[in-house]
Amino acid sequence: MSAAPLAPLRLGIAGLGTVGIGVVKIVQRHADLLAARSGRPVVITAVSARDRTKNRDADLSSYAWEVDPVALAQRADVDVFIEVMGGHEGPAKDATEAAFKAGKDVVTANKALLAHHGQALAELAEGLGRTIRFEAAVAGGIPVIKALTEGLAGNAIRRVMGVMNGTCNYILTRMETAGLPYDTVFEEARQLGYLEADPNLDVGGIDAGHKLAILAAIAFGTKVSFDNVLLEGIGRISIDDIRRAGDMGYKIKLLGVAQMTGRGLEQRMTPCLVPAASPLGQLQGGTNMVVIEGDSVGQIVLRGAGAGEGPTASAVMGDVMDLARGLHLPTFGQPAAKLADPVPAAVSAPASYYLRLQLMDKPGALAKVATVLGEAGVSISRMRQYGHADASAPVLIVTHKTTPDAIAVATAAFPATGVVEGEPVALRIEEL
Ligand code: NAP
Ligand code: HSE
């Protein structure tokens, strides 16, 4: 006697923008494939957005419409609530909580929600025997959450790093290839619709910082702690530095790094130099890349589209399919109640630094700079001086490994030498 077929998995989708419509299209286009792979039909029963009259590039006529996402989350004919509205307060949070309380599982693409409320939501969901999944929240179409929580579950994770904001990578690589300044390319990105409504989420490193905080929680078994991510955006990166870093064999990336050190959990989302020939150095345009290092697996590199309708909806559907198949894992890879309070590292691990100075053409100028570095305990590994176009010339220095504090002491002391013009630039070089 064959087993009775499983009941359909019924989805309620709140948010019918880029991601929500992408999910609708996959469910409609691949109904047979989804049913074959999960053993049950996957159907949409109800949807919600702000403006019902908007033309949405998909046929929604067979779905019930809810004005209020909270009401959608509570509907009796919804098993899984898909939150793709965005925002970390208000409807996204309210409806997610309402869904758990009404006995539903949740799939979200909302990194801001997870970064700010991940621990509380995980505790609520797990306390009620529910599941929240969020593959689409980090690196779009790349299944990095699945890789960390499942495929690499047998590894102690040493480091997670990556380029997780496509807009910033687009801006930096476009500056390099077109030789255009930051402001021009920023405007170009705005025209192309690449920037978030609040562009500082992208160029200020906040969006990528949200993603890093989520990965760090899974990798190191700690509560999500976005407040402890050291954040710096790409606004101060000049075309000069992109070119000069290139001359020294590096590319500049907005790089996220999370690692557990003897001094605590280090989480940084800052502009860094990476070797030009490395996978991260080679990453062009809006693509994302996540590099994970585990004690058994070594280093793995995941690369793919970090945003857009298809890739993000693909990640949402991966989560939906897990729920359809009955896979219910703890939110951050282990029970939320067991996650540790992170001890944030007070300072970043030592690293080599790239320094760019505009040095006056005076006898002994270089010696004065070398003295400042020596007194700060910073040792020079490589140096390059360019020709004097006028009374000063750019000098590039790559240091041996040193501490951020020592670099700060040296850069603060440069003006008093009387031979350094303008602001020196110091950027960390990340070893890969
Ligand atoms: P979007 O295109 O701006 O769409 C947002 C949708 O949410 C719209 O349909 C909007 O309704 C609806 N909405 C907003 N507030 C609402 C409310 N109070 N009640 C009901 N509906 C409401 O956004 P998106 O790009 O799809 O992004 C959605 C989520 O996915 C965000 O958390 C974002 O960070 C995340 N994400 C996006 C991408 C991407 O490539 N776009 C990638 C990864 C993650 P109206 O259409 O009526 O205005
Ligand atoms: N603004 C984000 C990016 C979208 O540029 O990568 C995906 O989170």
Side-chain angles (χ1 to χ4, degrees), residues 282-332:
Q282 300 274 305
L283 193 69
Q284 293 288 312
T287 313
N288 282 197
M289 182 174 283
V290 183
V291 178
I292 305 172
E293 294 168 356
D295 62 346
S296 297
V297 75
Q299 188 180 78
I300 66 162
V301 177
L302 304 168
R303 176 185 182 283
E309 180 183 299
T312 314
S314 159
V316 169
M317 286 309 298
D319 285 342
V320 167
M321 288 297 279
D322 275 350
L323 295 173
R325 289 162 162 157
L327 184 66
H328 294 264
L329 296 172
T331 315
F332 295 106

Side-chain angles (χ1 to χ4, degrees), residues 15-19 49-51 54 56 84-86 91 109 111 307-308 312:
L16 296 169
T18 306
V19 184
R50 279 176 300 213
D51 179 358
K54 213 186 244 184
R56 296 197 190 263
V84 280
M85 295 177 285
K111 55 257 173 180
T312 314

Side-chain angles (χ1 to χ4, degrees), residues 137-154:
V138 181
I142 304 175
V144 59
I145 304 294
K146 217 170 178 36
L148 266 179
T149 38
E150 296 177 50
L152 301 176

Side-chain angles (χ1 to χ4, degrees), residues 59-83:
D59 179 5
L60 307 173
S61 56
S62 57
Y63 312 140
W65 180 277
E66 287 284 356
V67 173
D68 179 4
V70 171
L72 175 74
Q74 294 168 327
R75 282 177 69 102
D77 60 359
V78 165
D79 303 309
V80 176
F81 175 66
I82 301 187
E83 187 285 300

